[in-house]
Coordinates of all heavy atoms in Angstrom, one line a residue:
Chain A
H715 N 34.1 -77.8 51.1 CA 34.0 -78.7 50.0 C 33.8 -80.2 50.4 O 33.6 -81.1 49.6 CB 35.2 -78.6 49.0 CG 36.5 -78.8 49.7 ND1 36.9 -80.1 50.1 CD2 37.5 -78.0 50.0 CE1 38.1 -79.9 50.6 NE2 38.5 -78.7 50.5
G716 N 33.9 -80.4 51.7 CA 33.7 -81.8 52.2 C 34.6 -82.7 51.6 O 35.8 -82.4 51.3
S717 N 34.2 -83.9 51.3 CA 35.0 -84.9 50.7 C 34.4 -85.4 49.4 O 34.8 -86.4 48.9 CB 35.3 -86.0 51.7 OG 34.1 -86.6 52.0
N718 N 33.3 -84.7 49.0 CA 32.7 -85.2 47.8 C 32.6 -84.2 46.7 O 31.7 -83.4 46.6 CB 31.2 -85.7 48.2 CG 30.6 -86.5 47.0 OD1 31.1 -86.5 45.9 ND2 29.5 -87.2 47.3
W719 N 33.7 -84.1 46.0 CA 33.8 -83.1 44.9 C 32.8 -83.4 43.8 O 32.3 -82.5 43.1 CB 35.2 -83.1 44.3 CG 36.1 -82.3 45.2 CD1 37.1 -82.9 46.0 CD2 36.2 -80.9 45.4 NE1 37.8 -81.9 46.7 CE2 37.3 -80.7 46.3 CE3 35.5 -79.8 44.9 CZ2 37.7 -79.4 46.7 CZ3 35.9 -78.5 45.2 CH2 36.9 -78.3 46.2
R720 N 32.5 -84.7 43.6 CA 31.6 -85.0 42.5 C 30.2 -84.4 42.7 O 29.5 -84.0 41.8 CB 31.5 -86.5 42.4 CG 30.6 -87.0 41.2 CD 30.6 -88.5 41.1 NE 31.5 -88.9 40.0 CZ 31.4 -90.1 39.4 NH1 30.5 -91.0 39.9 NH2 32.2 -90.4 38.4
A721 N 29.8 -84.4 44.0 CA 28.4 -83.9 44.2 C 28.4 -82.4 44.3 O 27.3 -81.8 44.1 CB 27.9 -84.5 45.5
L722 N 29.5 -81.8 44.6 CA 29.5 -80.4 44.8 C 29.0 -79.5 43.7 O 28.1 -78.7 44.0 CB 31.0 -79.9 45.2 CG 31.2 -78.5 45.6 CD1 32.3 -78.4 46.6 CD2 31.4 -77.6 44.4
P723 N 29.4 -79.7 42.5 CA 28.9 -78.8 41.5 C 27.4 -78.8 41.3 O 26.8 -77.8 41.0 CB 29.6 -79.3 40.2 CG 30.1 -80.6 40.5 CD 30.4 -80.6 42.0
K724 N 26.8 -80.0 41.4 CA 25.3 -80.0 41.3 C 24.7 -79.2 42.4 O 23.7 -78.4 42.1 CB 24.9 -81.5 41.4 CG 25.0 -82.2 40.1 CD 24.4 -83.7 40.2 CE 24.6 -84.5 39.0 NZ 24.3 -85.9 39.1
I725 N 25.1 -79.4 43.6 CA 24.5 -78.7 44.7 C 24.8 -77.2 44.6 O 23.9 -76.3 44.9 CB 25.1 -79.2 46.1 CG1 24.9 -80.7 46.2 CG2 24.4 -78.5 47.2 CD1 25.6 -81.4 47.3
A726 N 26.0 -76.8 44.2 CA 26.4 -75.4 44.1 C 25.8 -74.7 42.9 O 25.7 -73.5 42.8 CB 27.9 -75.3 44.1
G727 N 25.3 -75.5 42.0 CA 24.7 -74.9 40.8 C 25.7 -74.6 39.7 O 25.5 -73.7 38.9
L728 N 26.7 -75.4 39.6 CA 27.8 -75.3 38.6 C 27.6 -76.4 37.6 O 27.5 -77.6 37.9 CB 29.2 -75.3 39.2 CG 29.6 -74.0 39.9 CD1 30.8 -74.3 40.8 CD2 29.9 -72.9 38.9
N729 N 27.7 -76.0 36.3 CA 27.7 -77.0 35.3 C 29.1 -77.5 34.9 O 29.6 -77.4 33.8 CB 27.0 -76.4 34.0 CG 26.7 -77.5 33.0 OD1 26.6 -78.7 33.3 ND2 26.7 -77.1 31.7
R730 N 29.7 -78.0 36.0 CA 31.1 -78.5 35.8 C 31.2 -79.9 36.5 O 30.4 -80.2 37.3 CB 32.1 -77.6 36.6 CG 32.2 -76.2 35.9 CD 33.3 -76.2 34.9 NE 33.5 -74.9 34.3 CZ 34.5 -74.6 33.5 NH1 35.4 -75.6 33.1 NH2 34.7 -73.4 32.9
C731 N 32.2 -80.6 36.1 CA 32.5 -81.9 36.8 C 33.2 -81.6 38.1 O 33.9 -80.5 38.2 CB 33.3 -82.8 35.9 SG 35.0 -82.4 35.7
G732 N 33.1 -82.5 39.0 CA 33.7 -82.3 40.3 C 35.2 -82.2 40.2 O 35.8 -81.4 41.0
K733 N 35.8 -82.9 39.3 CA 37.2 -82.8 39.1 C 37.7 -81.4 38.8 O 38.7 -80.9 39.3 CB 37.6 -83.8 38.1 CG 39.0 -84.2 38.1 CD 39.2 -85.4 37.1 CE 40.6 -85.9 37.1 NZ 40.8 -87.0 36.2
S734 N 36.9 -80.8 37.9 CA 37.3 -79.5 37.4 C 37.1 -78.5 38.6 O 38.0 -77.6 38.7 CB 36.4 -79.1 36.2 OG 36.7 -77.8 35.8
C735 N 36.1 -78.7 39.4 CA 35.9 -77.8 40.5 C 37.1 -78.0 41.5 O 37.6 -77.0 42.1 CB 34.6 -78.1 41.2 SG 33.1 -77.7 40.3
R736 N 37.4 -79.2 41.8 CA 38.5 -79.4 42.8 C 39.8 -78.8 42.3 O 40.5 -78.1 43.0 CB 38.7 -80.9 42.9 CG 39.9 -81.3 43.8 CD 40.0 -82.8 44.1 NE 40.0 -83.6 42.9 CZ 41.1 -83.8 42.2 NH1 42.3 -83.3 42.5 NH2 41.1 -84.6 41.1
L737 N 40.1 -78.9 41.0 CA 41.3 -78.4 40.4 C 41.3 -76.8 40.5 O 42.3 -76.2 40.9 CB 41.4 -78.8 39.0 CG 42.8 -79.0 38.5 CD1 43.5 -80.1 39.3 CD2 42.8 -79.4 37.0
R738 N 40.1 -76.3 40.2 CA 40.0 -74.8 40.2 C 40.2 -74.3 41.6 O 40.9 -73.3 41.8 CB 38.6 -74.4 39.6 CG 38.4 -72.9 39.5 CD 39.4 -72.3 38.5 NE 39.2 -70.9 38.4 CZ 40.0 -70.0 37.7 NH1 41.1 -70.5 37.0 NH2 39.8 -68.8 37.6
W739 N 39.6 -75.0 42.5 CA 39.7 -74.5 43.9 C 41.2 -74.7 44.4 O 41.8 -73.8 45.0 CB 38.8 -75.4 44.8 CG 38.9 -75.1 46.3 CD1 39.6 -75.8 47.2 CD2 38.5 -73.9 47.0 NE1 39.5 -75.3 48.4 CE2 38.9 -74.1 48.3 CE3 37.8 -72.8 46.6 CZ2 38.6 -73.1 49.3 CZ3 37.5 -71.8 47.6 CH2 37.9 -72.0 48.9
S740 N 41.7 -75.9 44.2 CA 43.0 -76.1 44.8 C 44.2 -75.4 44.1 O 45.2 -75.1 44.8 CB 43.3 -77.6 44.9 OG 43.3 -78.1 43.6
N741 N 44.0 -75.1 42.9 CA 45.1 -74.4 42.1 C 44.9 -72.9 42.0 O 45.9 -72.3 41.6 CB 45.2 -75.0 40.8 CG 45.9 -76.4 40.8 OD1 46.6 -76.7 41.8 ND2 45.8 -77.1 39.7
Y742 N 43.7 -72.4 42.3 CA 43.5 -71.0 42.0 C 42.7 -70.3 43.0 O 43.1 -69.2 43.4 CB 42.8 -70.9 40.6 CG 43.0 -69.6 39.9 CD1 44.2 -69.4 39.1 CD2 42.1 -68.5 40.1 CE1 44.4 -68.2 38.5 CE2 42.3 -67.3 39.5 CZ 43.5 -67.1 38.7 OH 43.7 -65.9 38.1
L743 N 41.7 -70.8 43.5 CA 40.7 -70.1 44.3 C 41.0 -70.3 45.8 O 40.6 -69.4 46.6 CB 39.3 -70.5 44.0 CG 38.9 -70.3 42.6 CD1 37.5 -70.9 42.3 CD2 38.9 -68.8 42.2
R744 N 41.6 -71.3 46.2 CA 41.9 -71.6 47.6 C 42.6 -70.4 48.3 O 43.5 -69.8 47.7 CB 42.8 -72.9 47.7 CG 43.2 -73.3 49.0 CD 43.8 -74.7 48.9 NE 44.9 -74.9 47.9 CZ 46.1 -74.7 48.2 NH1 46.5 -74.4 49.4 NH2 47.0 -74.9 47.3
P745 N 42.2 -70.1 49.5 CA 42.9 -69.0 50.2 C 44.3 -69.3 50.5 O 44.7 -70.4 50.7 CB 42.1 -68.9 51.5 CG 40.8 -69.7 51.3 CD 41.1 -70.7 50.3
G746 N 45.1 -68.3 50.5 CA 46.5 -68.4 50.8 C 47.4 -68.7 49.7 O 48.6 -68.9 49.9
I747 N 46.9 -68.8 48.5 CA 47.7 -69.1 47.4 C 48.5 -67.9 47.0 O 48.0 -66.8 46.9 CB 46.8 -69.6 46.2 CG1 46.3 -71.0 46.4 CG2 47.6 -69.5 44.9 CD1 45.6 -71.6 45.2
K748 N 49.8 -68.2 46.9 CA 50.7 -67.1 46.5 C 50.9 -67.1 45.0 O 51.3 -68.1 44.4 CB 52.1 -67.3 47.2 CG 53.0 -66.2 47.2 CD 54.4 -66.6 47.5 CE 54.6 -67.0 48.9 NZ 56.0 -67.4 49.3
R749 N 50.7 -66.0 44.4 CA 50.9 -65.9 43.0 C 52.0 -65.0 42.7 O 52.6 -64.3 43.5 CB 49.6 -65.4 42.3 CG 48.3 -66.2 42.7 CD 47.3 -66.1 41.7 NE 47.6 -66.9 40.5 CZ 47.4 -68.2 40.5 NH1 46.9 -68.9 41.5 NH2 47.8 -68.9 39.4
G750 N 52.4 -65.0 41.4 CA 53.5 -64.1 41.0 C 54.8 -64.9 40.9 O 54.9 -66.1 41.0
K751 N 55.8 -64.1 40.7 CA 57.2 -64.7 40.4 C 57.7 -65.4 41.6 O 57.5 -65.0 42.8 CB 58.1 -63.6 40.0 CG 57.9 -63.0 38.6 CD 59.1 -62.2 38.2 CE 60.3 -63.0 37.9 NZ 61.4 -62.3 37.3
F752 N 58.4 -66.5 41.3 CA 59.1 -67.2 42.4 C 60.4 -66.5 42.8 O 61.1 -65.9 42.0 CB 59.5 -68.6 41.8 CG 58.4 -69.6 41.8 CD1 57.5 -69.5 40.7 CD2 58.2 -70.5 42.8 CE1 56.4 -70.4 40.7 CE2 57.1 -71.4 42.7 CZ 56.2 -71.4 41.7
S753 N 60.6 -66.4 44.1 CA 61.8 -65.8 44.6 C 63.0 -66.7 44.4 O 62.9 -67.9 44.1 CB 61.6 -65.5 46.1 OG 61.6 -66.7 46.8
Q754 N 64.2 -66.1 44.6 CA 65.4 -66.8 44.4 C 65.4 -68.0 45.5 O 65.9 -69.1 45.1 CB 66.6 -65.9 44.7 CG 66.9 -64.9 43.6 CD 67.6 -65.6 42.4 OE1 68.4 -66.6 42.6 NE2 67.3 -65.2 41.2
E755 N 64.9 -67.7 46.7 CA 64.9 -68.7 47.7 C 64.0 -69.9 47.3 O 64.4 -71.0 47.4 CB 64.5 -68.1 49.0 CG 65.4 -67.1 49.6 CD 66.8 -67.8 49.8 OE1 66.8 -68.9 50.4 OE2 67.8 -67.2 49.4
E756 N 62.9 -69.5 46.8 CA 61.9 -70.6 46.3 C 62.6 -71.4 45.2 O 62.4 -72.6 45.2 CB 60.6 -69.9 45.9 CG 59.8 -69.4 47.0 CD 58.5 -68.7 46.5 OE1 58.6 -67.9 45.5 OE2 57.4 -69.0 47.0
E757 N 63.2 -70.7 44.3 CA 63.8 -71.3 43.2 C 64.9 -72.4 43.6 O 64.9 -73.5 43.2 CB 64.5 -70.3 42.3 CG 64.9 -70.8 40.9 CD 65.4 -69.6 40.1 OE1 64.7 -68.6 39.9 OE2 66.5 -69.7 39.6
K758 N 65.7 -71.9 44.6 CA 66.8 -72.8 45.1 C 66.1 -74.0 45.8 O 66.6 -75.1 45.7 CB 67.7 -72.1 46.1 CG 68.7 -71.2 45.4 CD 69.5 -70.5 46.5 CE 70.5 -69.5 45.9 NZ 71.2 -68.7 46.9
L759 N 65.1 -73.7 46.5 CA 64.4 -74.7 47.3 C 63.8 -75.8 46.4 O 63.9 -77.0 46.6 CB 63.4 -74.1 48.2 CG 62.6 -75.1 49.1 CD1 63.6 -75.9 50.0 CD2 61.6 -74.3 50.0
I760 N 63.2 -75.3 45.3 CA 62.6 -76.2 44.4 C 63.6 -77.1 43.7 O 63.5 -78.3 43.6 CB 61.8 -75.5 43.3 CG1 60.6 -74.8 43.9 CG2 61.4 -76.4 42.2 CD1 59.9 -73.8 43.0
I761 N 64.7 -76.5 43.3 CA 65.8 -77.3 42.7 C 66.3 -78.4 43.7 O 66.5 -79.5 43.3 CB 67.0 -76.4 42.2 CG1 66.5 -75.5 41.1 CG2 68.2 -77.2 41.8 CD1 67.5 -74.4 40.6
N762 N 66.6 -78.0 44.9 CA 67.1 -78.9 45.9 C 66.1 -80.0 46.2 O 66.5 -81.2 46.3 CB 67.6 -78.2 47.1 CG 68.8 -77.4 46.9 OD1 69.8 -78.0 46.4 ND2 68.8 -76.1 47.2
L763 N 64.9 -79.6 46.3 CA 63.8 -80.6 46.6 C 63.6 -81.5 45.5 O 63.4 -82.7 45.6 CB 62.5 -79.9 47.0 CG 62.5 -79.3 48.4 CD1 61.3 -78.3 48.5 CD2 62.5 -80.3 49.5
H764 N 63.7 -81.0 44.3 CA 63.6 -81.8 43.1 C 64.7 -82.8 43.0 O 64.5 -84.0 42.6 CB 63.5 -81.0 41.8 CG 63.2 -81.8 40.6 ND1 64.2 -82.4 39.8 CD2 62.0 -82.1 40.0 CE1 63.6 -83.0 38.8 NE2 62.3 -82.9 38.9
Q765 N 65.9 -82.4 43.4 CA 67.0 -83.3 43.3 C 66.8 -84.4 44.3 O 67.1 -85.6 44.1 CB 68.3 -82.5 43.7 CG 69.5 -83.4 43.7 CD 70.8 -82.6 44.0 OE1 70.7 -81.5 44.6 NE2 71.9 -83.1 43.6
L766 N 66.1 -84.1 45.4 CA 65.9 -85.1 46.5 C 64.7 -85.9 46.2 O 64.7 -87.2 46.4 CB 65.7 -84.3 47.8 CG 65.6 -85.2 49.1 CD1 67.0 -85.8 49.3 CD2 65.2 -84.3 50.2
L767 N 63.6 -85.3 45.6 CA 62.3 -86.0 45.5 C 61.9 -86.4 44.1 O 61.0 -87.2 43.9 CB 61.2 -85.1 46.1 CG 61.4 -84.7 47.6 CD1 60.4 -83.6 47.9 CD2 61.2 -85.9 48.5
G768 N 62.6 -85.8 43.1 CA 62.2 -86.0 41.8 C 60.9 -85.3 41.4 O 60.6 -84.3 42.1
N769 N 60.1 -85.8 40.5 CA 58.9 -85.1 40.1 C 57.7 -85.3 41.0 O 56.6 -85.5 40.6 CB 58.5 -85.6 38.7 CG 59.5 -85.1 37.6 OD1 60.5 -84.5 37.9 ND2 59.2 -85.5 36.4
K770 N 58.0 -85.2 42.3 CA 56.9 -85.3 43.3 C 56.5 -83.9 43.6 O 56.8 -83.3 44.6 CB 57.4 -86.0 44.5 CG 58.0 -87.4 44.3 CD 56.9 -88.4 43.9 CE 57.5 -89.8 43.7 NZ 56.5 -90.7 43.1
W771 N 55.6 -83.4 42.7 CA 55.3 -82.0 42.7 C 54.5 -81.7 44.0 O 54.7 -80.6 44.6 CB 54.6 -81.6 41.5 CG 55.3 -81.9 40.2 CD1 55.0 -82.7 39.2 CD2 56.6 -81.4 39.9 NE1 55.9 -82.8 38.3 CE2 56.9 -82.0 38.6 CE3 57.5 -80.5 40.5 CZ2 58.2 -81.7 38.0 CZ3 58.7 -80.2 39.8 CH2 59.0 -80.8 38.6
S772 N 53.6 -82.5 44.4 CA 52.8 -82.3 45.6 C 53.7 -82.3 46.8 O 53.5 -81.5 47.7 CB 51.7 -83.3 45.7 OG 52.2 -84.6 45.8
A773 N 54.7 -83.2 46.8 CA 55.6 -83.2 48.0 C 56.5 -82.0 48.0 O 56.7 -81.4 49.1 CB 56.5 -84.5 47.9
I774 N 56.9 -81.5 46.8 CA 57.7 -80.3 46.8 C 56.9 -79.1 47.2 O 57.3 -78.3 48.0 CB 58.3 -80.1 45.3 CG1 59.3 -81.2 45.0 CG2 58.9 -78.7 45.2 CD1 59.7 -81.2 43.6

Side-chain angles (χ1 to χ4, degrees):
Chain A
H715 57 71
S717 59
N718 193 345
W719 283 105
R720 181 176 258 199
L722 185 149
K724 276 184 185 173
I725 305 169
L728 284 165
N729 189 27
R730 292 272 183 173
C731 70
K733 198 173 183 175
S734 181
C735 293
R736 176 173 55 82
L737 212 61
R738 184 64 180 171
W739 174 257
S740 60
N741 283 345
Y742 203 85
L743 301 173
R744 175 167 55 91
I747 287 188
K748 193 197 290 182
R749 310 205 70 82
K751 287 194 71 174
F752 283 80
S753 68
Q754 286 284 327
E755 290 305 309
E756 287 177 313
E757 194 174 304
K758 284 181 185 173
L759 184 55
I760 292 169
I761 291 172
N762 285 310
L763 286 167
H764 185 272
Q765 183 177 20
L766 189 66
L767 301 168
N769 292 0
K770 304 291 182 188
W771 305 117
S772 60
I774 293 171

